[in-house]
Amino acid sequence: MTDDLRSHIDEAMTLAAAQLGKGRVADYIPALAKVDPAKLGFALALPDGTVHASGDADEPFSIQSVSKVFTLALALRRVGSDLWTSVGREPSGSAFNSVVQLESEQGIPRNPLINAGAIATTDRLIDGRAGDAVAEEIVDFMRARAGDDRVEIDFDVAFSESETGARNRSLAHFMDAFGNLTHPVETVVGVYFRQCAIAMSCRQLARAGLFLAMEGRDPFTGEQIVEAHRARRINAIMMLCGHYDNSGEFAFRVGLPGKSGVGGGILCIAPGQGSIAVWSPALNEAGTSLAGAVALEHFAYAAGWSVFD
Ligand code: GLU
């Protein structure tokens, strides 16, 4: 890494640290409400194998909706373009867990990165298998991408999500009523809650996202994880739909595809350059990490990394 990139990370972290104290930790999942809002981590994974970390970059956190990017990749591998019969590719312009559009759009969620769309994607990924086997496949995939066998599901978080999961169950039942679910609701949400409850550090997550920056190929293992055209399209969906109802704002400020989770993590892809993961648990009103987005905005600006070059 050049000294420049290191100093951009340092500057980004200083500016992000000034935001600590603002925003709110997600509390609708009780296990997430306990997290210290003052945490701040940043990791940049480069294709040459180096990972440059700063702050709380080695502390595992709940990746939540960031998992949706990886299950999308797995579902596309498993069922191919047929996935798009179950879920769309349009920004939703509404909250991540909204029921409203499902009613008017006959049970086909707008995109795979809102809750309903991720539940539909997980349903397709299950593809007739047992839920436990699929949850295991997802964790194994994250371990392989992170190059770290220590990646685990946090079962306290998974349990807490299930206990408070009435709205996600409602989304699943709604889709079922429209014939857009092929497995029992409990099987599907059981996998969904576990994928959201995977705990990873910024270092692991940045490393895991690198295949999306490298045309679908994991530069560490040499494996083609998804075809290049699929990696581009996953990035396109992240760009348009990755941050709930502030996806446009994120694209404007950061200019790179990304995905937020309500655990305070954001994965951000700089095609051809690298993969960045940030974590800070206090969220803005739409559910994106407040300090995390500031760190990404300043890093991308200083490094001159943008898909609009
Ligand atoms: N597991 C969370 C939920 O279903 C994910 C939300 C998020 O990170 O956007 O509500």
Side-chain angles (χ1 to χ4, degrees):
M1 176 166 76
T2 64
D3 290 348
D4 280 355
L5 285 180
R6 171 46 68 187
S7 68
H8 300 331
I9 294 176
D10 293 344
E11 274 163 36
M13 287 295 275
T14 304
L15 289 162
Q19 302 296 316
L20 296 175
K22 297 185 192 160
R24 289 190 58 218
V25 172
D27 54 8
Y28 73 100
I29 300 171
L32 294 183
K34 298 186 217 148
V35 180
D36 176 1
K39 297 285 181 184
L40 176 63
F42 188 112
L44 164 65
L46 297 174
D48 68 0
T50 44
V51 177
H52 297 279
S54 180
D56 301 307
D58 287 300
E59 194 169 320
F61 60 89
S62 191
I63 67 168
Q64 292 294 317
S65 280
V66 182
S67 66
K68 294 170 181 172
V69 172
F70 296 91
T71 46
L72 172 60
L74 283 171
L76 283 168
R77 278 203 328 193
R78 185 144 187 115
V79 302
S81 303
D82 198 50
L83 177 68
W84 304 121
T85 59
S86 302
V87 61
R89 306 179 293 238
E90 289 295 340
S92 70
S94 49
F96 65 100
N97 56 4
S98 170
V99 172
V100 177
Q101 275 169 353
L102 269 187
E103 164 92 73
S104 57
E105 295 176 5
Q106 271 85 56
I108 306 289
R110 277 278 173 110
N111 68 69
L113 301 184
I114 51 173
N115 286 13
I119 292 167
T121 302
T122 295
D123 176 61
R124 297 300 304 273
L125 173 61
I126 294 172
D127 196 20
R129 297 176 291 167
D132 288 352
V134 178
E136 219 164 278
E137 177 190 47
I138 298 168
V139 176
D140 284 347
F141 184 67
M142 299 312 289
R143 287 181 178 147
R145 302 285 67 76
D148 194 334
D149 284 343
R150 291 171 300 177
V151 172
E152 296 283 1
I153 295 170
D154 180 333
F155 283 99
D156 284 344
V157 173
F159 181 75
S160 190
E161 287 217 43
S162 182
E163 289 282 284
T164 54
R167 189 178 265 267
N168 284 322
R169 284 190 177 84
S170 307
L171 294 170
H173 280 292
F174 227 87
M175 291 190 285
D176 192 28
F178 280 106
N180 191 26
L181 212 68
T182 55
H183 303 91
V185 166
E186 280 310 311
T187 305
V188 182
V189 296
V191 177
Y192 173 79
F193 292 143
R194 280 177 280 177
Q195 78 182 54
C196 289
I198 291 173
M200 292 173 80
S201 67
C202 290
R203 184 187 297 274
Q204 291 166 333
L205 192 57
R207 163 73 183 76
L210 207 46
F211 74 99
L212 290 170
M214 303 307 293
E215 305 233 289
R217 189 170 164 279
D218 185 328
F220 291 87
T221 64
E223 207 184 326
Q224 192 73 38
I225 305 303
V226 288
E227 292 138 287
H229 74 92
R230 290 234 152 94
R232 287 185 211 124
R233 285 167 167 173
I234 293 170
N235 286 335
I237 293 169
M238 289 170 81
M239 189 83 196
L240 291 170
C241 316
H243 311 277
Y244 323 109
D245 196 16
N246 63 174
S247 298
E249 179 71 12
F250 189 91
F252 179 84
R253 285 171 51 194
V254 181
L256 294 170
K259 179 72 199 95
S260 309
V262 294
I266 308 175
L267 174 66
C268 200
I269 304 299
Q273 308 274 16
S275 164
I276 308 160
V278 296
W279 172 52
S280 189
L283 310 175
N284 68 16
E285 270 166 24
T288 295
S289 170
L290 208 143
V294 168
L296 287 168
E297 178 179 2
H298 286 284
F299 176 79
Y301 185 81
W305 289 4
S306 166
V307 294
F308 302 109
D309 275 346

